[in-house]
Amino acid sequence: MGATERRGRPLPQIPGWQAPGGLAQTLRLLVLVPILLSLVASLDWRADHSQDPLEKCTHDPDYEQLLKVVTLGLNRTLRPQKVIVVGAGVAGLVAARVLSDAGHKVTILEANNRIGGRIFTYRDPKTGWTGELGAMRMPSSHRILHELCHSLGLNLTKFIQYDKNTWTEVNNVKLRNYVVEKMPEKLGYALRPREKGHSPEGIYQMALNKALKDFKVLGCRKAMKKFERLTLLEYLLGEGNLSQPAVQLLGDVLSKDGFFYLSFPGSRARLARRYSRIVGGWDLLPRALLSSLSGPVLLNSPVVAMTQYQHHVQVQMATSHHNLKTLTADVVLLTASGPAVQRIRFSPPLPHRLQEALRGLHYVPATKVYLSFRRPFWHDDHMKGGHSNTNRPSRMIFYPPPHEGALLLASYTWSDAAAAFAGLSPDEALRLALRDVAALHGPVVYQLWDGRGIVKRWAEDPHSQGGFVVQPPVLWHSEDNAQDYNWAVPYGHIYFAGEHTAYPHGWVETAVKSALRAAIRINSGQRHVSPTSSTQEPWQWKGHRHSMARSTTCHLAKRDATPPPLQPQFSLPHTTHNRTAY
Ligand SMILES: Cc1cc2nc3c(=O)[nH]c(=O)nc-3n(C[C@H](O)[C@H](O)[C@H](O)COP(=O)(O)OP(=O)(O)OC[C@H]3O[C@@H](n4cnc5c(N)ncnc54)[C@H](O)[C@@H]3O)c2cc1C
């Protein structure tokens, strides 16, 4: 799509864009229904969405408009603004691209020494093999993300989520998944007769059908009221009418246990079998976005403070020499995660309600451990992708697709399950994962391991400080319930975007949607709650390209869409890339 086509189209009108005050109930509905919809849709990959009983509880009323924006861009502005985007994750990069295409002057400040945030592809310097430390799959329903990739010329291919030859090993029983699909009771769970003979996903679907029915019978609002206070565990055992052994099975085999005590609607269902991935690695997405930008992207530039004035905002960022550098903008778009935003000093301070919403975000940890092998021994077991499950600490083992090397995602854990790897030295973490792989594939793996691997613990990443948001249940209702915070409303000149500001949490597409919404608002020039400071300072724009480019402490991110060089990328203390002689 050429730039000229992107410009000059009418700005789509977003119906019901700003939820007026007092519509907390509506907001909660908008929150819950889409999560349930995505949960159910992702469970049943054969589902015809038009037949879905929840279809009438439409979520994302602006989805088609956002799709248009990602395809055609925004109206070219007549009042270009100086915009500082905080964070070069996918949200920040997408917003920057759309805004600069519309004619605004955009500068991105990124705390890390790389772009991409929680999109982070490991490229092995020795073998060239890749491993996704963050996002790795996109559900087929994420049309906006598919369109974004398409517009950037990225190729997508199938992410192999399931291979019938993979293993499930629990309760000292090890079975191929083609057996578990048909007879999960063989794993030693005392299932009820009606639960026997169904795959774990089928059992989960069985429980979810009750929620679907309630949405049909009660209507969206009443059903939402009913479910939003429940944990996943409460729902499965109560409304879902599953036996305790069946719930245990879902916890062990589908790694649902990490979400048992979190909100039922908020608990993520990563069970879809129709996923895509980006050919060559997910980091090609942020790299392609970067190369489409014209404004500066400053790495190693953590924003530490912001001061709002009547007509502008000053942003302070730290330099590597412990100095502060000040930039000025008309508008700031903040895409850093909740914990990262909490570390920024705001003057005037953020409203109490907003601070509460930030504190109310519940991030679950997520940890990935990759092991490098001399050859893909899983081919001997006829595995061409998919994942094995175990109730050992490693929980899920994902196999790379054929012809893509022998870098194995030996463990992917989230929420409470990630605790098994917390606090371990990198060597200990690698060896723990290796032990679990050996339990499934036999002691031969000890000989085939080439002694290298990588451990990524997102809870310990200083920039994200967590994996992704999964909220606990709503325990009380009030008009200003913190869980219903409307992040679409800016605070003075400060706008918000990022995975935590839209629904369903924890997806790349969610971050993209939030970025597009913020960009639409910024482009339309809307301003909201004015901060109290009204000091009239002379307009002073210090953020232009040349003054920043002169900075000795910041590095401009390189613009080229080719894959990054195969060199060690992990100098950060929270990411460990180890060679051991083990
Ligand atoms: C292990 C894991 C697996 C995942 N798997 C998938 C998946 O398969 N599919 C999927 O769709 N999604 C997945 N996700 C979720 C997805 O990665 C995120 O939702 C998405 O990447 C978030 O993008 P973002 O731009 O909102 O935030 P981020 O990517 O976190 O970007 C925020 C940026 O802000 C920067 N920053 C922070 N503080 C400051 C500061 N003070 N100043 C300047 N910059 C700052 C950070 O360094 C970061 O670059 C996964 C996430 C994890 C952790």
Side-chain angles (χ1 to χ4, degrees), residues 17 83-87 91-92 95 99 306 308 313 331-346 348-359 361 363 485-503 510-522 526 528-529 531:
W17 183 258
V83 182
I84 289 179
V85 173
V86 180
L99 286 168
M306 278 181 214
Q308 295 206 65
V313 52
V331 163
V332 170
L333 175 60
L334 203 39
T335 70
S337 69
V341 170
Q342 286 187 68
R343 285 189 285 138
I344 298 174
R345 288 190 311 280
F346 293 89
L350 295 179
H352 176 70
R353 181 73 186 75
L354 210 163
Q355 292 183 34
E356 237 180 30
L358 280 170
R359 284 196 302 271
L361 292 169
Y363 283 79
Y485 190 77
N486 187 1
W487 295 99
V489 178
Y491 173 51
H493 310 291
I494 302 175
Y495 292 71
F496 302 89
E499 169 257 332
H500 58 290
T501 66
Y503 299 95
T510 305
V512 173
K513 286 189 299 185
S514 73
L516 296 171
R517 286 174 182 140
I520 290 169
R521 290 197 150 225
I522 291 170
Q526 290 175 37
H528 292 267
V529 196

Coordinates of all heavy atoms in Angstrom, one line a residue, residues 17 83-87 91-92 95 99 306 308 313 331-346 348-359 361 363 485-503 510-522 526 528-529 531:
W17 N -16.9 6.0 20.8 CA -15.5 6.0 21.0 C -15.1 6.3 22.5 O -14.4 5.5 23.1 CB -14.8 7.0 20.1 CG -13.3 6.9 20.3 CD1 -12.5 7.8 21.0 CD2 -12.5 5.9 19.8 NE1 -11.2 7.3 20.9 CE2 -11.2 6.2 20.2 CE3 -12.7 4.8 19.0 CZ2 -10.1 5.4 19.9 CZ3 -11.7 4.0 18.7 CH2 -10.4 4.3 19.1
V83 N 5.1 14.9 18.5 CA 4.7 13.7 19.4 C 5.9 13.0 19.9 O 6.8 12.6 19.1 CB 3.8 12.8 18.6 CG1 3.3 11.7 19.5 CG2 2.6 13.5 17.9
I84 N 6.0 12.7 21.2 CA 7.0 11.8 21.7 C 6.3 10.5 22.1 O 5.3 10.5 22.8 CB 7.7 12.4 22.9 CG1 8.6 13.6 22.5 CG2 8.5 11.3 23.7 CD1 9.3 14.2 23.7
V85 N 6.8 9.4 21.5 CA 6.2 8.1 21.8 C 7.2 7.5 22.8 O 8.4 7.4 22.5 CB 6.1 7.3 20.6 CG1 5.7 5.8 20.9 CG2 5.0 7.9 19.6
V86 N 6.7 7.1 24.0 CA 7.6 6.4 25.0 C 7.4 4.9 24.8 O 6.4 4.3 25.0 CB 7.2 6.8 26.4 CG1 8.1 6.2 27.4 CG2 7.3 8.3 26.5
G87 N 8.5 4.3 24.3 CA 8.5 2.8 24.2 C 8.5 2.4 22.7 O 7.6 2.9 21.9
A91 N 3.4 -1.5 20.1 CA 2.4 -0.4 20.2 C 3.0 1.0 19.8 O 2.5 1.7 19.0 CB 1.8 -0.3 21.6
G92 N 4.2 1.2 20.4 CA 4.8 2.5 20.1 C 5.2 2.6 18.7 O 5.0 3.7 18.0
A95 N 2.0 3.1 16.4 CA 1.4 4.5 16.6 C 2.3 5.5 15.9 O 1.9 6.4 15.2 CB 1.3 4.8 18.1
L99 N 1.1 7.9 12.8 CA 1.1 9.3 13.1 C 2.1 10.0 12.1 O 1.8 11.1 11.6 CB 1.5 9.6 14.5 CG 0.4 9.3 15.5 CD1 0.9 9.4 17.0 CD2 -0.8 10.3 15.4
M306 N 7.9 13.6 33.5 CA 7.1 14.4 32.5 C 6.4 15.5 33.2 O 5.9 15.3 34.3 CB 6.0 13.5 31.9 CG 6.5 12.6 30.8 SD 5.1 11.7 30.2 CE 5.9 10.2 29.8
Q308 N 3.7 18.5 32.6 CA 2.7 19.1 31.6 C 2.4 20.5 31.9 O 2.3 21.0 33.0 CB 1.3 18.3 31.8 CG 1.4 16.9 31.4 CD 0.1 16.3 31.0 OE1 -0.5 16.8 30.0 NE2 -0.5 15.4 31.7
V313 N 4.2 19.6 26.8 CA 4.7 18.7 27.8 C 6.2 18.5 27.7 O 6.7 18.4 26.6 CB 3.9 17.3 27.8 CG1 4.0 16.7 26.4 CG2 4.4 16.3 28.8
V331 N 2.4 16.5 22.5 CA 1.7 15.3 22.9 C 2.7 14.2 23.2 O 3.7 14.0 22.5 CB 0.7 14.8 21.8 CG1 0.3 13.4 22.0 CG2 -0.4 15.8 21.6
V332 N 2.4 13.4 24.3 CA 3.2 12.2 24.6 C 2.3 11.0 24.5 O 1.1 11.0 25.0 CB 3.8 12.3 26.0 CG1 4.4 11.0 26.4 CG2 4.9 13.4 26.0
L333 N 2.8 9.9 23.9 CA 2.1 8.7 23.9 C 2.9 7.7 24.7 O 4.0 7.3 24.4 CB 1.8 8.1 22.5 CG 1.2 6.7 22.4 CD1 -0.1 6.7 23.1 CD2 1.1 6.2 21.0
L334 N 2.3 7.2 25.8 CA 3.0 6.4 26.7 C 2.6 4.9 26.5 O 1.5 4.5 26.7 CB 2.6 6.8 28.1 CG 3.4 6.5 29.4 CD1 4.9 6.7 29.1 CD2 3.0 7.5 30.5
T335 N 3.6 4.1 26.0 CA 3.3 2.7 25.7 C 4.0 1.7 26.6 O 3.9 0.5 26.4 CB 3.6 2.3 24.3 OG1 5.0 2.3 24.1 CG2 3.0 3.3 23.3
A336 N 4.7 2.2 27.6 CA 5.5 1.4 28.6 C 4.5 0.6 29.4 O 3.3 1.0 29.6 CB 6.4 2.2 29.4
S337 N 4.9 -0.6 29.9 CA 4.0 -1.4 30.7 C 3.6 -0.7 32.0 O 4.3 0.3 32.4 CB 4.8 -2.7 31.1 OG 5.8 -2.4 32.0
G338 N 2.6 -1.2 32.7 CA 2.1 -0.6 33.9 C 3.2 -0.3 35.0 O 3.4 0.8 35.4
P339 N 4.0 -1.3 35.3 CA 5.1 -1.1 36.3 C 6.1 -0.1 35.9 O 6.6 0.7 36.7 CB 5.7 -2.5 36.5 CG 4.7 -3.5 36.0 CD 3.9 -2.8 34.9
A340 N 6.4 -0.1 34.6 CA 7.4 0.9 34.0 C 6.8 2.3 34.1 O 7.5 3.3 34.5 CB 7.8 0.5 32.6
V341 N 5.5 2.5 33.8 CA 4.9 3.8 33.9 C 4.9 4.3 35.4 O 5.1 5.5 35.6 CB 3.4 3.7 33.4 CG1 2.7 5.0 33.7 CG2 3.4 3.5 31.9
Q342 N 4.7 3.4 36.3 CA 4.7 3.8 37.7 C 6.0 4.4 38.2 O 6.1 5.0 39.2 CB 4.3 2.6 38.6 CG 2.8 2.2 38.5 CD 2.5 1.1 39.5 OE1 2.5 1.4 40.7 NE2 2.2 -0.1 39.0
R343 N 7.1 4.0 37.5 CA 8.4 4.6 37.9 C 8.6 6.0 37.4 O 9.6 6.6 37.7 CB 9.5 3.6 37.5 CG 9.5 2.4 38.3 CD 10.8 1.5 38.0 NE 10.6 0.8 36.8 CZ 11.5 0.7 35.9 NH1 12.7 1.2 36.0 NH2 11.3 0.0 34.8
I344 N 7.8 6.4 36.5 CA 8.0 7.8 35.9 C 7.3 8.8 36.8 O 6.3 8.6 37.4 CB 7.3 7.8 34.5 CG1 8.0 6.8 33.5 CG2 7.4 9.2 33.9 CD1 7.4 6.7 32.2
R345 N 8.0 9.9 37.0 CA 7.5 11.0 37.8 C 6.7 12.0 37.0 O 7.1 12.4 35.9 CB 8.6 11.8 38.5 CG 9.3 11.1 39.6 CD 10.3 12.1 40.3 NE 11.1 12.9 39.5 CZ 12.2 12.4 38.9 NH1 12.7 11.2 39.2 NH2 13.0 13.2 38.1
F346 N 5.4 12.2 37.4 CA 4.5 13.1 36.6 C 4.3 14.3 37.4 O 4.0 14.3 38.6 CB 3.2 12.4 36.3 CG 3.4 11.2 35.4 CD1 3.6 9.9 35.9 CD2 3.2 11.3 34.0 CE1 3.7 8.8 35.1 CE2 3.4 10.2 33.2 CZ 3.6 9.0 33.7
P348 N 1.8 17.8 36.8 CA 1.2 17.4 38.0 C 1.0 15.9 38.1 O 1.0 15.2 37.0 CB -0.2 18.1 38.0 CG -0.4 18.4 36.5 CD 0.9 18.5 35.9
P349 N 0.9 15.3 39.3 CA 0.8 13.9 39.4 C -0.4 13.3 38.6 O -1.4 14.0 38.4 CB 0.6 13.7 40.9 CG 0.8 15.0 41.6 CD 0.7 16.0 40.6
L350 N -0.3 12.0 38.3 CA -1.4 11.4 37.6 C -2.6 11.4 38.6 O -2.4 11.3 39.8 CB -1.1 10.0 37.3 CG 0.0 9.8 36.2 CD1 0.3 8.3 36.0 CD2 -0.3 10.4 34.9
P351 N -3.8 11.5 38.1 CA -5.0 11.5 38.9 C -5.0 10.2 39.7 O -4.5 9.1 39.3 CB -6.2 11.5 38.0 CG -5.6 12.0 36.7 CD -4.2 11.6 36.6
H352 N -5.6 10.3 40.9 CA -5.7 9.1 41.8 C -6.3 7.9 41.1 O -5.8 6.8 41.2 CB -6.6 9.5 43.0 CG -6.8 8.4 43.9 ND1 -5.9 7.9 44.8 CD2 -8.0 7.7 44.2 CE1 -6.4 6.9 45.5 NE2 -7.7 6.8 45.1
R353 N -7.3 8.2 40.3 CA -8.0 7.1 39.6 C -7.1 6.4 38.6 O -7.1 5.2 38.5 CB -9.2 7.8 38.9 CG -10.1 6.9 38.1 CD -11.0 6.1 39.0 NE -11.7 5.1 38.2 CZ -11.2 4.1 37.7 NH1 -10.0 3.8 37.9 NH2 -11.9 3.2 37.0
L354 N -6.2 7.1 38.0 CA -5.3 6.6 37.0 C -4.2 5.8 37.7 O -3.8 4.7 37.3 CB -4.7 7.7 36.2 CG -4.3 7.4 34.7 CD1 -4.2 8.7 34.0 CD2 -3.1 6.6 34.6
Q355 N -3.7 6.3 38.8 CA -2.7 5.6 39.6 C -3.2 4.3 40.1 O -2.6 3.3 40.1 CB -2.3 6.5 40.8 CG -1.5 7.7 40.4 CD -1.1 8.5 41.7 OE1 -0.7 7.9 42.7 NE2 -1.1 9.8 41.5
E356 N -4.5 4.4 40.5 CA -5.1 3.1 41.0 C -5.2 2.1 39.9 O -5.0 0.9 40.1 CB -6.6 3.5 41.5 CG -6.9 3.1 42.9 CD -8.3 3.5 43.2 OE1 -9.2 3.4 42.3 OE2 -8.5 3.7 44.4
A357 N -5.6 2.6 38.7 CA -5.7 1.6 37.6 C -4.4 1.0 37.3 O -4.3 -0.2 37.0 CB -6.3 2.4 36.4
L358 N -3.3 1.8 37.4 CA -2.0 1.3 37.1 C -1.6 0.2 38.1 O -1.1 -0.8 37.8 CB -0.9 2.4 37.1 CG -0.8 3.3 35.9 CD1 0.1 4.5 36.2 CD2 -0.3 2.5 34.7
R359 N -1.9 0.6 39.4 CA -1.6 -0.4 40.5 C -2.4 -1.7 40.3 O -2.0 -2.8 40.7 CB -1.8 0.2 41.8 CG -0.7 1.2 42.3 CD -0.8 1.4 43.8 NE -2.1 2.0 44.2 CZ -2.4 3.3 44.2 NH1 -1.5 4.2 43.8 NH2 -3.5 3.7 44.6
L361 N -3.2 -3.3 37.7 CA -2.9 -4.2 36.6 C -2.1 -5.4 37.2 O -1.2 -5.2 37.9 CB -2.0 -3.5 35.6 CG -2.7 -2.4 34.7 CD1 -1.6 -1.6 34.0 CD2 -3.7 -3.0 33.8
Y363 N 0.2 -8.4 36.4 CA 1.0 -9.0 35.4 C 1.4 -10.4 35.9 O 1.8 -10.6 37.1 CB 2.3 -8.2 35.2 CG 2.1 -7.0 34.3 CD1 1.5 -5.8 34.8 CD2 2.5 -7.0 33.0 CE1 1.3 -4.7 34.0 CE2 2.2 -5.9 32.2 CZ 1.7 -4.8 32.7 OH 1.5 -3.7 31.9
Y485 N -10.9 0.9 34.0 CA -10.3 2.2 33.6 C -10.3 2.4 32.1 O -10.0 1.5 31.4 CB -8.9 2.4 34.2 CG -8.4 3.8 34.0 CD1 -8.9 4.8 34.8 CD2 -7.6 4.1 32.9 CE1 -8.5 6.1 34.7 CE2 -7.2 5.4 32.8 CZ -7.6 6.4 33.6 OH -7.2 7.7 33.4
N486 N -10.7 3.5 31.7 CA -10.8 3.8 30.2 C -9.5 4.5 29.8 O -9.3 5.7 29.8 CB -12.0 4.7 29.9 CG -12.2 4.8 28.4 OD1 -11.4 4.3 27.6 ND2 -13.2 5.6 28.0
W487 N -8.6 3.6 29.3 CA -7.3 4.1 28.9 C -7.3 4.9 27.7 O -6.3 5.6 27.3 CB -6.3 2.9 28.7 CG -6.0 2.2 30.0 CD1 -6.6 1.0 30.4 CD2 -5.1 2.5 31.0 NE1 -6.1 0.6 31.6 CE2 -5.1 1.5 32.0 CE3 -4.2 3.6 31.2 CZ2 -4.4 1.5 33.1 CZ3 -3.4 3.6 32.3 CH2 -3.5 2.6 33.3
A488 N -8.4 4.9 27.0 CA -8.5 5.7 25.7 C -8.6 7.1 26.0 O -8.3 8.0 25.1 CB -9.7 5.2 24.9
V489 N -8.9 7.5 27.2 CA -9.0 9.0 27.5 C -7.6 9.5 28.0 O -7.1 8.9 28.9 CB -10.0 9.2 28.7 CG1 -10.1 10.7 29.1 CG2 -11.4 8.7 28.3
P490 N -7.1 10.5 27.3 CA -5.8 11.0 27.7 C -5.9 11.8 28.9 O -6.9 12.3 29.3 CB -5.4 11.8 26.5 CG -6.7 12.2 25.8 CD -7.7 11.2 26.1
Y491 N -4.7 12.0 29.6 CA -4.6 12.9 30.7 C -3.9 14.1 30.2 O -2.6 14.1 30.1 CB -3.9 12.2 31.8 CG -3.6 13.1 33.0 CD1 -4.6 13.9 33.6 CD2 -2.3 13.2 33.5 CE1 -4.3 14.8 34.6 CE2 -2.0 14.1 34.6 CZ -3.0 14.8 35.1 OH -2.8 15.7 36.2
G492 N -4.6 15.2 29.9 CA -3.9 16.3 29.4 C -3.3 16.0 28.0 O -4.0 15.6 27.1
H493 N -2.0 16.2 27.9 CA -1.3 15.9 26.7 C -0.8 14.5 26.6 O -0.1 14.1 25.7 CB -0.1 16.9 26.5 CG -0.4 18.3 26.7 ND1 -1.2 19.0 25.8 CD2 -0.1 19.2 27.7 CE1 -1.3 20.3 26.3 NE2 -0.7 20.4 27.4
I494 N -1.1 13.7 27.6 CA -0.5 12.4 27.7 C -1.6 11.3 27.3 O -2.6 11.2 28.0 CB 0.1 12.1 29.1 CG1 1.1 13.1 29.5 CG2 0.7 10.6 29.2 CD1 1.6 12.9 30.9
Y495 N -1.2 10.5 26.3 CA -2.1 9.5 25.8 C -1.5 8.1 26.2 O -0.3 8.0 26.5 CB -2.3 9.5 24.3 CG -3.0 10.7 23.8 CD1 -2.5 12.0 23.9 CD2 -4.3 10.6 23.3 CE1 -3.2 13.1 23.4 CE2 -5.0 11.7 22.8 CZ -4.4 12.9 22.9 OH -5.1 14.0 22.4
F496 N -2.3 7.1 26.2 CA -1.8 5.8 26.7 C -2.1 4.7 25.6 O -3.2 4.7 25.0 CB -2.5 5.4 28.0 CG -2.3 6.4 29.1 CD1 -3.1 7.4 29.3 CD2 -1.2 6.2 29.9 CE1 -2.9 8.4 30.3 CE2 -1.0 7.1 30.9 CZ -1.8 8.2 31.1
A497 N -1.2 3.8 25.5 CA -1.4 2.6 24.6 C -0.6 1.5 25.2 O 0.2 1.7 26.1 CB -1.1 3.0 23.2
G498 N -0.7 0.3 24.6 CA 0.0 -0.9 25.0 C -0.9 -2.0 25.4 O -2.1 -1.8 25.6
E499 N -0.4 -3.2 25.5 CA -1.1 -4.4 25.7 C -2.1 -4.3 26.9 O -3.2 -4.8 26.9 CB -0.1 -5.5 26.0 CG -0.6 -6.8 26.5 CD -0.3 -7.0 28.0 OE1 0.7 -6.5 28.5 OE2 -1.1 -7.7 28.6
H500 N -1.6 -3.5 27.9 CA -2.4 -3.4 29.2 C -3.6 -2.5 29.0 O -4.5 -2.4 29.9 CB -1.5 -3.0 30.3 CG -0.9 -1.6 30.1 ND1 0.1 -1.5 29.2 CD2 -1.1 -0.4 30.6 CE1 0.5 -0.2 29.1 NE2 -0.2 0.5 30.0
T501 N -3.7 -1.7 28.0 CA -4.7 -0.7 27.9 C -5.9 -1.1 27.0 O -6.8 -0.3 26.7 CB -4.1 0.6 27.3 OG1 -3.7 0.4 25.9 CG2 -2.9 1.1 28.1
A502 N -5.9 -2.3 26.5 CA -7.0 -2.7 25.7 C -7.3 -4.2 25.9 O -6.6 -4.8 26.8 CB -6.7 -2.5 24.2
Y503 N -8.2 -4.8 25.3 CA -8.7 -6.2 25.5 C -8.7 -7.0 24.3 O -9.0 -6.4 23.2 CB -10.1 -6.2 26.2 CG -10.1 -5.5 27.5 CD1 -10.5 -4.1 27.5 CD2 -9.7 -6.1 28.6 CE1 -10.5 -3.5 28.7 CE2 -9.7 -5.4 29.8 CZ -10.1 -4.1 29.9 OH -10.1 -3.4 31.1
T510 N -3.6 -6.8 20.4 CA -4.2 -5.9 21.4 C -3.4 -4.6 21.5 O -3.9 -3.5 21.5 CB -4.3 -6.5 22.7 OG1 -5.0 -7.8 22.6 CG2 -5.0 -5.7 23.7
A511 N -2.1 -4.8 21.5 CA -1.2 -3.6 21.6 C -1.3 -2.8 20.3 O -1.4 -1.5 20.4 CB 0.3 -4.1 21.7
V512 N -1.5 -3.4 19.2 CA -1.6 -2.7 17.9 C -3.0 -1.9 17.9 O -3.0 -0.8 17.5 CB -1.6 -3.7 16.7 CG1 -1.9 -3.0 15.4 CG2 -0.2 -4.4 16.6
K513 N -4.0 -2.6 18.4 CA -5.3 -1.9 18.4 C -5.2 -0.7 19.3 O -5.7 0.4 18.9 CB -6.4 -2.8 19.0 CG -6.9 -3.9 18.0 CD -8.1 -4.7 18.6 CE -7.8 -5.4 19.9 NZ -8.9 -6.2 20.4
S514 N -4.6 -0.8 20.4 CA -4.5 0.3 21.4 C -3.7 1.5 20.7 O -4.1 2.7 20.9 CB -3.9 -0.1 22.7 OG -2.5 -0.3 22.5
A515 N -2.7 1.1 20.0 CA -1.9 2.1 19.3 C -2.7 2.9 18.2 O -2.6 4.1 18.1 CB -0.6 1.5 18.7
L516 N -3.5 2.1 17.5 CA -4.2 2.8 16.4 C -5.3 3.7 17.0 O -5.5 4.8 16.5 CB -4.9 1.7 15.6 CG -4.0 0.8 14.8 CD1 -4.8 -0.4 14.2 CD2 -3.3 1.5 13.7
R517 N -5.9 3.3 18.1 CA -6.9 4.1 18.8 C -6.2 5.4 19.2 O -6.8 6.5 19.0 CB -7.5 3.4 20.0 CG -8.5 2.3 19.5 CD -9.0 1.5 20.7 NE -9.9 0.5 20.2 CZ -9.9 -0.8 20.7 NH1 -9.1 -1.1 21.7 NH2 -10.7 -1.7 20.2
A518 N -5.1 5.3 19.9 CA -4.4 6.5 20.4 C -4.0 7.4 19.2 O -4.2 8.6 19.3 CB -3.2 6.1 21.2
A519 N -3.6 6.8 18.1 CA -3.2 7.6 17.0 C -4.4 8.4 16.4 O -4.2 9.5 16.0 CB -2.5 6.7 15.9
I520 N -5.5 7.7 16.3 CA -6.7 8.4 15.8 C -7.0 9.6 16.7 O -7.3 10.7 16.2 CB -7.9 7.4 15.8 CG1 -7.7 6.3 14.8 CG2 -9.2 8.1 15.6 CD1 -8.7 5.1 14.9
R521 N -6.9 9.4 18.0 CA -7.3 10.5 18.9 C -6.3 11.6 18.7 O -6.7 12.8 18.7 CB -7.3 10.0 20.3 CG -8.5 9.1 20.6 CD -8.7 8.9 22.0 NE -10.1 8.7 22.2 CZ -10.9 9.3 23.1 NH1 -10.3 10.1 23.9 NH2 -12.1 9.1 23.2
I522 N -5.0 11.3 18.7 CA -4.0 12.3 18.6 C -4.2 13.1 17.3 O -4.2 14.3 17.2 CB -2.6 11.7 18.7 CG1 -2.3 11.2 20.1 CG2 -1.5 12.7 18.3 CD1 -1.1 10.4 20.3
Q526 N -7.9 15.9 19.7 CA -8.8 16.0 20.9 C -7.9 16.1 22.2 O -6.8 15.5 22.3 CB -9.6 14.7 21.1 CG -10.7 14.5 20.1 CD -11.3 13.2 20.3 OE1 -11.5 12.7 21.4 NE2 -11.7 12.5 19.2
H528 N -8.2 16.3 26.6 CA -9.1 16.0 27.7 C -8.7 16.7 28.9 O -8.0 17.6 28.9 CB -9.2 14.5 27.8 CG -9.9 13.9 26.6 ND1 -11.3 13.7 26.5 CD2 -9.5 13.6 25.4 CE1 -11.6 13.3 25.3 NE2 -10.5 13.2 24.6
V529 N -9.1 16.1 30.1 CA -8.8 16.6 31.4 C -7.5 17.4 31.4 O -6.4 16.8 31.3 CB -8.7 15.5 32.4 CG1 -8.8 16.0 33.8 CG2 -9.6 14.4 32.2
P531 N -4.4 19.0 33.0 CA -3.7 19.0 34.3 C -3.7 20.3 34.9 O -3.9 21.3 34.2 CB -2.2 18.6 33.9 CG -2.1 18.9 32.4 CD -3.5 18.8 31.9

